[in-house]
Amino acid sequence: MPRPARALATALVLAVGTLGAPEPGLGDAERADETSQTSDPWLRGVSASARGRFGEAAEAFAAAAAARARSGDAAGRVQALLRLAEAQQALGAHRDAARSLEDALPVAEGLGDPARTAAVLGALGSARLALDRPEEAAGLLERALALARQGEDGRLEAALRNNLGNLAARRGDYAAAAEAYAESARQAEKTEQEELVVRALTNAARARLLAGEAGKARGLAQRAAKSAQTLPESNSSAFLRIGLARVYERLVPGDPALRLGAHALLLGALGMADRLEDPLAASYALGYLGGLYEAEGRHEEALDLTRRALRRTEGLEAPEARYLWEWQSARLLEASGHPTEAIAAYQRAVGILERLRPELTRAADGSGASFRNSVAPVYFGLVDVLLRRASAAADPSQARALRVRARDTVELLKAAELRDYFRDDCVDALQQKVRGVEGVSLQAAVVYPIPLPDRIELLLSLPGGSLEQFSVPVSEERLRQEVRDFRRFLERPTTRQYLPHARRLYDWLIRPLEPRLAVETLVFVPDGPLRTIPMSALHDGERFLIERHSVAITPGVELTDPRPLDRAALEPLLSGLSEPVEDFPPLAHVPAELGTIRELLGGEVLLDEAFRRDQVRERLDEPRFSVVHVATHGEFRGDFAESFLLTWDGRLTGDELADTIGAFRFRERPLELLTLSACETARGDERAALGLSGIAVKAGARSAIGTLWKVNDVAASQLMIEFYRQLAQEGVSRAAALQRAQRALLADPRYAHPGFWAAFLMISSWL
């Protein structure tokens, strides 16, 4: 049974906070529970935070910061902005938190107080980490640590060590994370920071668990539990117990002693939260108690606890808690045989996530939780139960309605996943322009392969509006392994070991649909591991799929602007490198590639020394270009900010690429085609492949061509030239032009292996 993989953000976001800097007004904080209606915004903020009302706290601390700015109290303004950022991070508004801290930083630096500056830098590093900017976070945290050492501030250094542990955990280096947490705990003990001792030990236990060292994790968790017993009652103390209970639960599933320990910690946190009148902490304690009962199969008791957890969030700005408990309710209702109620709960959870957008998806606690394993399962849970009901429905109209809801949920997931990956408004900008796709092309079928834990569901959308469902009894894990093997052998053009995998995947993904595929073009909306392979190379035992159909992919049908190519307005910007730059080898055939394409379509060429970042930006500011062709080394990575295209003067990073090509999203006439002919994605990196499949959305382009792996220079140039030659012909769609180019290479004995031609993908509009 799926469990919430995402750790509690609120519990450990507060690990940064003020980082030991002195807090104005702390002498009055003890009276905050009696002064919640005071005119002093600082005290209102402290009171609201103590009760888990972080929206109110954010408003109050913003007012406090403004008031102290007016009075010239620079130190007080910094402290208010730090507390404002804490509240914003507790709400999941990490971008807002980063902006608040960016406002605080120059003020803190102007005070000449290393401790305050380090506190702001450390908090900003935590916010950057929550936004999945690990490189920026590293620089900020190291600067903060240097300042703390300079000032010999052991309290501050202990807190920063904890956050450096979070950074290492986010990078997947759990051994380094555990060491950083252990050092944080040692320094916290020396400086008598009891809460930080518990927090760091808990984090160290989690890191050891993720590193596969359950024995060490257990010892650390037991030390943390012993230290937690002496903590005074407080909001953060309650959350520490909740976080520690989650580690206990995950240590040895089914271990009665650990389960009892987790139960006791959660009951203790619940009692503390009730005494402190903290409904948010109480909600988490109740909800995770429900999760313990869910794991034991005690569904009725678990559902009662989960509903109580939901009631505690009423009147709070606690969307993260509400989505978790709605999701848990949905699983419990489904397991109890109440699919209608389960669907309603799933839809409420998805609705909350849709309103939150990407801000929620990254915890700053070092848990390593990603969008894919924390948020996506909510959408897939809904899709799963909808399709199960559709399969069992006797009424065809009811079955179709359920399939439509499942397909629409997949579309919502695709958009949410791209928002998370690109971290900007490119998805929303496109959705405002896109019209419905069904019926646009009479010669295209849209295929949604949906990997679920126990099966693959295939949704087939046909011209005319028919939506059909096929179920294949292959587990997601079995599919993932087959895809991994297929991709590995595809990249070896000297062996035919790919062929058994190509046939097996064809049997799973295409064979069930064959009787219904009387169309020219297949448009796939791939998910998960299927994003890392080319559907064109699937094989039926006689021919590749590309020999029967033209093939395109799209990150989502609702993210596609499916309009035919406007040949009358084609004006290409052709750019690339032929000479070696940095440690990358030369691409000797690029000059001929660009020259031939220019002969076919005209346009302007930026080659080698002319292909500089400033030149690219300058040319793309001109509205005349409708095709951008880039023949250079590049790589899509799991973090778009770390993706790049290589230019003569260095790497055009993902962020720079976004600034350069993203402007097309806001033009009246969009980019017709973006071609990246020598880029690649890391093998098996589903998130990097997501970036490749979404690049057309990012660029504001109707379509894009990208490559899954690095292709032979000669083969790539020949394929690209043939593609543009076909594209120049009236009546030939983008997908058909690529199909013809790929088939031309397939017919050449030198390049018949799919490793030479299958890496090229037609992305988004196929028309």
Side-chain angles (χ1 to χ4, degrees):
M1 179 176 295
R3 303 301 310 278
R6 186 179 190 275
L8 176 60
T10 305
L12 291 172
V13 159
L14 300 178
V16 184
T18 57
L19 293 173
E23 297 192 6
L26 276 187
D28 296 323
E30 296 174 358
R31 300 196 303 275
D33 59 333
E34 302 172 0
T35 56
S36 59
Q37 303 303 316
T38 180
S39 60
D40 185 343
W42 173 267
L43 291 179
R44 290 204 311 273
V46 171
S47 174
S49 290
R51 288 176 167 80
R53 299 181 183 275
F54 295 110
E56 294 176 20
E59 286 186 20
F61 286 127
R68 288 169 178 177
R70 289 192 297 270
S71 68
D73 180 3
R77 182 186 176 195
V78 170
Q79 201 59 43
L81 287 169
L82 279 164
R83 294 301 300 269
L84 170 59
E86 282 184 7
Q88 289 166 329
Q89 285 200 272
L91 290 167
H94 303 299
R95 294 182 194 280
D96 292 340
R99 284 191 284 267
S100 297
L101 294 164
E102 286 163 359
D103 289 343
L105 184 56
V107 182
E109 290 173 332
L111 289 168
D113 181 348
R116 288 189 186 276
T117 302
V120 177
L121 287 169
L124 185 54
S126 178
R128 289 279 186 259
L129 187 57
L131 290 167
D132 202 25
R133 305 275 184 150
E135 297 309 315
E136 295 177 27
L140 291 162
L141 291 172
E142 291 294 348
R143 284 174 60 195
L145 184 61
L147 284 172
R149 285 171 170 169
Q150 176 185 324
E152 297 182 352
D153 190 332
R155 293 176 62 84
L156 184 57
E157 185 175 348
L160 286 165
R161 293 284 182 193
N162 180 73
N163 290 297
L164 285 166
N166 292 345
L167 174 65
R170 175 56 55 82
R171 289 170 163 169
D173 189 347
Y174 300 118
E179 288 300 322
Y181 292 136
E183 181 60 29
S184 173
R186 284 192 289 271
Q187 291 190 350
E189 286 177 345
K190 291 179 182 178
T191 53
E192 299 180 347
Q193 298 182 84
E194 295 176 349
E195 281 193 4
L196 183 54
V197 170
V198 177
R199 178 175 294 114
L201 288 172
T202 302
N203 286 345
R206 183 184 293 109
R208 291 297 182 191
L209 184 59
L210 290 168
E213 300 174 295
K216 290 182 178 179
R218 184 169 186 156
L220 288 163
Q222 289 171 336
R223 283 179 58 196
K226 183 177 180 180
S227 297
Q229 292 174 1
T230 64
L231 291 179
E233 292 196 348
S234 68
N235 169 276
S236 56
S237 181
F239 274 120
L240 283 171
R241 283 168 169 78
I242 293 168
L244 183 55
R246 298 289 287 151
V247 173
Y248 260 56
E249 182 186 354
R250 293 167 180 168
L251 272 169
V252 183
D255 184 314
L258 290 171
R259 192 167 295 282
L260 284 172
H263 190 270
L265 283 162
L266 291 170
L267 283 179
L270 176 60
M272 188 180 298
D274 283 339
R275 288 188 293 275
L276 292 168
E277 298 182 0
D278 183 347
L280 185 61
S283 175
Y284 276 109
L286 285 164
Y288 285 129
L289 277 169
L292 286 177
Y293 285 103
E294 179 189 14
E296 294 177 351
R298 298 163 64 178
H299 296 148
E300 186 175 340
E301 295 162 282
L303 188 58
D304 176 66
L305 286 163
T306 306
R307 285 169 170 164
R308 289 170 60 191
L310 273 168
R311 286 196 293 271
R312 294 296 184 99
T313 65
E314 292 174 1
L316 299 181
E317 293 185 57
E320 179 179 351
R322 291 195 65 82
Y323 107 78
L324 284 173
W325 310 146
E326 291 287 9
W327 178 22
Q328 190 161 285
S329 296
R331 297 195 307 272
L332 291 164
L333 287 163
E334 185 181 4
S336 302
H338 301 288
T340 301
E341 293 89 339
I343 288 172
Y346 270 124
Q347 287 181 321
R348 288 193 294 272
V350 167
I352 294 167
L353 290 172
E354 284 298 298
R355 291 190 295 275
L356 287 173
R357 302 298 169 98
E359 293 280 57
L360 175 62
T361 61
R362 306 229 173 271
D365 58 6
S367 66
S370 68
F371 181 97
R372 193 70 192 174
N373 62 22
S374 60
V375 175
V378 184
Y379 292 82
F380 280 119
L382 177 55
V383 170
D384 193 345
V385 68
L386 286 169
L387 292 179
R388 286 183 190 277
R389 292 207 69 194
S391 296
D395 181 353
S397 62
Q398 181 187 20
R400 187 184 189 284
L402 289 163
R403 290 175 194 138
V404 168
R405 289 168 69 183
R407 182 194 62 191
D408 292 347
T409 303
V410 172
E411 289 288 339
L412 289 175
L413 169 61
K414 300 298 182 181
E417 202 165 18
L418 278 184
R419 287 190 195 99
D420 174 72
Y421 182 76
F422 289 125
R423 297 191 295 266
D424 71 4
D425 62 352
C426 61
V427 171
D428 302 303
L430 179 60
Q431 286 181 320
Q432 292 173 7
K433 297 180 179 181
V434 168
R435 54 197 174 95
V437 169
E438 288 182 343
V440 169
S441 173
L442 298 178
Q443 297 300 323
V446 181
V447 183
Y448 294 82
I450 305 169
L452 295 170
D454 62 339
R455 68 197 191 283
I456 305 168
E457 289 281 7
L458 303 171
L459 286 181
L460 177 63
S461 182
L462 292 167
S466 173
L467 183 61
E468 302 180 15
Q469 176 185 356
F470 305 83
S471 185
V472 181
V474 173
S475 71
E476 183 177 13
E477 186 52 43
R478 178 74 181 88
L479 174 67
R480 190 177 300 278
Q481 183 59 53
E482 198 67 38
V483 164
R484 191 178 298 123
D485 292 341
F486 181 47
R487 167 72 185 257
R488 184 173 72 253
F489 291 125
L490 276 179
E491 294 183 61
R492 300 178 184 177
T494 58
T495 175
R496 289 173 57 85
Q497 288 177 281
Y498 71 87
L499 196 52
H501 305 288
R503 290 175 175 173
R504 198 167 293 121
L505 288 167
Y506 186 98
D507 288 341
W508 295 347
L509 302 174
I510 307 299
R511 189 84 65 190
L513 315 178
E514 276 185 335
R516 305 292 290 141
L517 297 182
V519 293
E520 293 179 1
T521 304
L522 299 183
V523 180
F524 290 90
V525 186
D527 187 80
L530 294 174
R531 285 193 290 250
T532 68
I533 58 169
M535 297 296 180
S536 58
L538 302 188
H539 201 280
D540 66 2
E542 296 180 4
R543 293 190 290 178
F544 290 104
L545 185 62
I546 199 68
E547 296 180 81
R548 297 182 182 273
H549 304 275
S550 57
V551 174
I553 69 164
T554 177
V557 174
E558 298 300 327
L559 298 174
T560 303
D561 188 4
R563 304 186 199 190
L565 185 68
D566 182 4
R567 286 175 174 78
L570 287 185
E571 178 77 17
L573 176 64
L574 309 169
S575 57
L577 287 178
S578 66
E579 299 182 13
V581 173
E582 295 184 4
D583 294 325
F584 292 89
L587 297 169
H589 289 78
V590 165
E593 175 183 329
L594 300 186
T596 305
I597 297 171
R598 186 179 187 184
E599 290 175 7
L600 290 168
L601 299 177
E604 181 177 345
V605 174
L606 299 177
L607 178 63
D608 291 333
E609 290 188 56
F611 181 42
R612 297 175 179 270
R613 284 175 290 180
D614 59 346
Q615 289 296 310
V616 174
R617 283 192 289 267
E618 182 180 318
R619 293 300 189 278
L620 291 181
D621 280 340
E622 302 175 22
R624 62 191 176 99
F625 295 111
S626 60
V627 173
V628 174
H629 179 95
V630 184
T632 185
H633 297 285
E635 185 175 317
F636 283 91
R637 297 180 177 176
D639 180 359
F640 183 68
E642 296 180 7
S643 303
F644 69 91
L645 295 177
L646 190 66
T647 67
W648 182 263
D649 56 345
R651 300 185 180 194
L652 187 68
T653 66
D655 287 341
E656 291 173 320
L657 183 64
D659 291 340
T660 301
I661 65 176
F664 279 95
R665 300 199 307 265
F666 308 105
R667 294 182 181 178
E668 186 174 340
R669 190 182 69 167
L671 190 63
E672 288 285 353
L673 176 65
L674 171 67
T675 300
L676 305 174
S677 73
C679 296
E680 62 179 322
T681 61
R683 179 189 298 165
D685 190 333
E686 296 171 21
R687 190 163 171 83
L690 171 69
L692 177 62
S693 69
I695 191 60
V697 176
K698 185 65 176 176
R702 288 203 171 112
S703 60
I705 291 180
T707 48
L708 283 168
W709 58 82
K710 194 174 296 182
V711 181
N712 173 277
D713 185 22
V714 179
S717 291
Q718 288 191 17
L719 187 145
M720 283 287 95
I721 289 169
E722 185 60 26
F723 166 73
Y724 283 105
R725 181 177 288 116
Q726 294 294 332
L727 195 67
Q729 297 183 30
E730 194 65 36
V732 178
S733 70
R734 297 169 173 91
L738 182 58
Q739 178 195 27
R740 294 179 185 185
Q742 289 176 313
R743 291 181 65 172
L745 251 64
L746 177 59
D748 186 332
R750 296 172 300 171
Y751 305 122
H753 190 286
F756 291 107
W757 52 263
F760 293 87
L761 305 179
M762 175 57 64
I763 302 163
S764 288
S765 180
W766 59 92
L767 296 178

